[in-house]
Amino acid sequence: MAVVIFIIVLWYGGLFFQSFFLHRYAAHQVFTMSKTMEKITFILTWVFQGSSYLSAYGYGIMHRMHHAYTDTEKDPHSPSYDANMFAMMWKTKTIYQDINEQRIAIDDRFTKNVPQWKSFDTFAGSRFSRLLWITFYILFFVFFVTAWWQWLLLPIAFLMAPIHGVIINWFGHIYGYVNFKMKNTSKNLFHFDFLMMGEGYHNNHHKHASSPNFGVKWHEIDMTYVIIKVLDFFGLIKLKSINVKN
């Protein structure tokens, strides 16, 4: 049971910081936070993403490119231009690394105000850091596994962020329903997004990219937005009121 709880904590913890920090803050900047809060959030993202840690800088730029080039050859991840989900995610990984290591030229519009903590990212995204987390996950499983099938959950711990990414960037452009007809294949995966904390309302997000609330209809509850509202209420972050969509 401890192993299952551990995976659930990693799933939703890593997902929250990917959605809250990397997506809505780094890429879309729908709210502001102090530099101290920003650094705390960098560290918490590393803690919950662990071996699959993603840089806010690399993610933020790549996601802006996704919105600018959705479902075209320049899109960093589009099912329309890759044979399968593994090919798409490998291309995504390559572009992400090229951005982080500054191997490709990036238009200024994609880099403006994207948060970056170079020294921390160098450590958190290093092979040493990833191996440290992998070792920790293995040891946790060694001590707490109670049934053979629980070992099947170990790869999920290793690859949590890429799994989150492929659910939205592959399946969220193939399956689901559409609230807004657009010139792209984005879809809403769930009528109530219990699995992806609001990220599954992908069609809504492509229509209203600057909104902190990905839900549109009454049943489309965006749990990440709910937490954002709480953090805003307590003054830990500041929502940009011009972007708030009720």
Side-chain angles (χ1 to χ4, degrees):
M1 190 63 180
V3 166
V4 174
I5 294 172
F6 180 67
I7 291 296
I8 291 172
V9 169
L10 287 185
W11 180 274
Y12 286 105
L15 178 60
F16 170 74
F17 284 101
Q18 182 166 332
S19 182
F20 166 77
F21 184 55
L22 304 183
H23 190 181
R24 307 188 202 207
Y25 179 73
H28 293 292
Q29 299 181 336
V30 299
F31 58 86
T32 60
M33 64 173 76
S34 68
K35 286 299 179 183
T36 299
M37 185 65 179
E38 183 178 282
K39 290 196 173 184
I40 290 171
T41 312
F42 263 104
I43 294 168
L44 289 174
T45 302
W46 173 67
V47 168
F48 283 97
Q49 287 194 327
S51 61
S52 58
Y53 173 80
L54 294 172
S55 153
Y57 183 77
Y59 182 100
I61 291 172
M62 187 169 63
H63 187 72
R64 291 179 182 184
M65 292 169 66
H66 170 62
H67 275 271
Y69 304 128
T70 308
D71 288 333
T72 69
E73 291 183 87
K74 292 184 178 181
D75 190 339
H77 36 243
S78 171
S80 301
Y81 286 89
D82 290 295
N84 55 63
M85 70 178 74
F86 302 106
M88 184 194 75
M89 294 311 292
W90 186 262
K91 183 176 77 175
T92 302
K93 179 190 78 73
T94 301
I95 294 172
Y96 167 82
Q97 289 177 335
D98 286 345
I99 292 169
N100 267 340
E101 296 174 21
Q102 299 181 323
R103 291 196 293 247
I104 56 175
I106 303 294
D107 193 307
D108 289 346
R109 63 180 166 142
F110 299 131
T111 62
K112 185 179 180 181
N113 297 325
V114 177
Q116 187 177 28
W117 188 2
K118 285 185 178 181
S119 58
F120 183 76
D121 274 346
T122 298
F123 163 72
S126 68
R127 184 172 298 176
F128 171 77
S129 173
R130 298 190 193 282
L131 288 175
L132 199 66
W133 281 113
I134 287 171
T135 302
F136 168 71
Y137 298 153
I138 292 172
L139 289 174
F140 185 92
F141 273 65
V142 167
F143 282 101
F144 292 103
V145 159
T146 56
W148 68 266
W149 59 264
Q150 293 175 5
W151 284 105
L152 300 177
L153 300 175
L154 187 57
I156 296 176
F158 294 162
L159 300 169
M160 193 68 76
I163 292 171
H164 290 153
V166 80
I167 289 172
I168 300 303
N169 297 316
W170 182 267
F171 294 101
H173 281 265
I174 298 176
Y175 304 107
Y177 68 98
V178 171
N179 282 334
F180 305 100
K181 290 187 177 181
M182 304 177 66
K183 294 179 180 179
N184 62 58
T185 58
S186 61
K187 294 177 176 61
N188 297 325
L189 283 170
F190 313 102
H191 289 276
F192 169 62
D193 188 9
F194 64 95
L195 185 67
M196 301 301 293
M197 295 186 71
E199 290 290 316
Y201 305 131
H202 200 51
N203 173 251
N204 296 350
H205 173 57
H206 269 272
K207 178 65 176 179
H208 300 291
S210 62
S211 173
N213 184 4
F214 292 2
V216 172
K217 296 184 176 179
W218 69 268
H219 55 80
E220 295 171 347
I221 300 170
D222 180 353
M223 287 309 301
T224 301
Y225 176 65
V226 172
I227 297 171
I228 285 173
K229 290 287 285 184
V230 172
L231 295 174
D232 176 67
F233 177 80
F234 285 105
L236 294 172
I237 64 172
K238 179 64 176 176
L239 269 167
K240 294 181 179 178
S241 57
I242 192 172
N243 289 325
V244 174
K245 186 171 79 60
N246 294 318

